[in-house]
């Protein structure tokens, strides 16, 4: 009986951990390329020095990022 309870507890923990990893939310970033001065939306945080996150350019959905990019001053100046 103890073995059954231990196995059940370990299984429940493993299932919870797997679900937690699958539920990681994606973030979208509005970034500006230093050479072209153009803004784009990416789904991974930039790691290079040629692109930078502009203003408050972190959003939970792509739609929010597209709307936000329209209001960011450096992205609307051309």
């Amino acid at each position: 009986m103890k073995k059954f309870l231990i196995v059940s507890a370990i299984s429940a923990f493993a299932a919870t951990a797997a679900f937690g990893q699958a539920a990681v939310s994606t973030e979208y970033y509005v970034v500006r390329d230093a050479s072209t001065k153009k803004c784009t939306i990416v789904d991974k945080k930039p790691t290079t020095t040629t692109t930078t996150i502009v203003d408050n350019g972190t959003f939970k959905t792509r739609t929010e990022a597209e709307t936000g990019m329209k209001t960011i001053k450096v992205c609307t100046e051309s």
Side-chain angles (χ1 to χ4, degrees), residues 2 18-19 46 49 53 59:
K2 287 183 181 181
F19 177 74
T49 57
I53 299 173
F59 301 91

Side-chain angles (χ1 to χ4, degrees), residues 26-61:
T26 302
E27 289 185 327
Y28 293 88
Y29 302 91
V30 176
V31 297
R32 186 172 186 227
D33 187 282
S35 61
T36 64
K37 309 291 188 218
K38 301 257 183 201
C39 292
T40 56
I41 298 169
V42 295
D43 61 355
K44 292 187 178 20
K45 193 170 187 173
T47 57
T48 63
T49 57
T50 58
T51 58
T52 56
I53 299 173
V54 292
D55 198 29
N56 185 21
T58 304
F59 301 91
K60 292 184 184 215
T61 66

Side-chain angles (χ1 to χ4, degrees), residues 7-17:
V7 169
S8 296
I10 291 172
S11 297
F13 176 74
T16 303

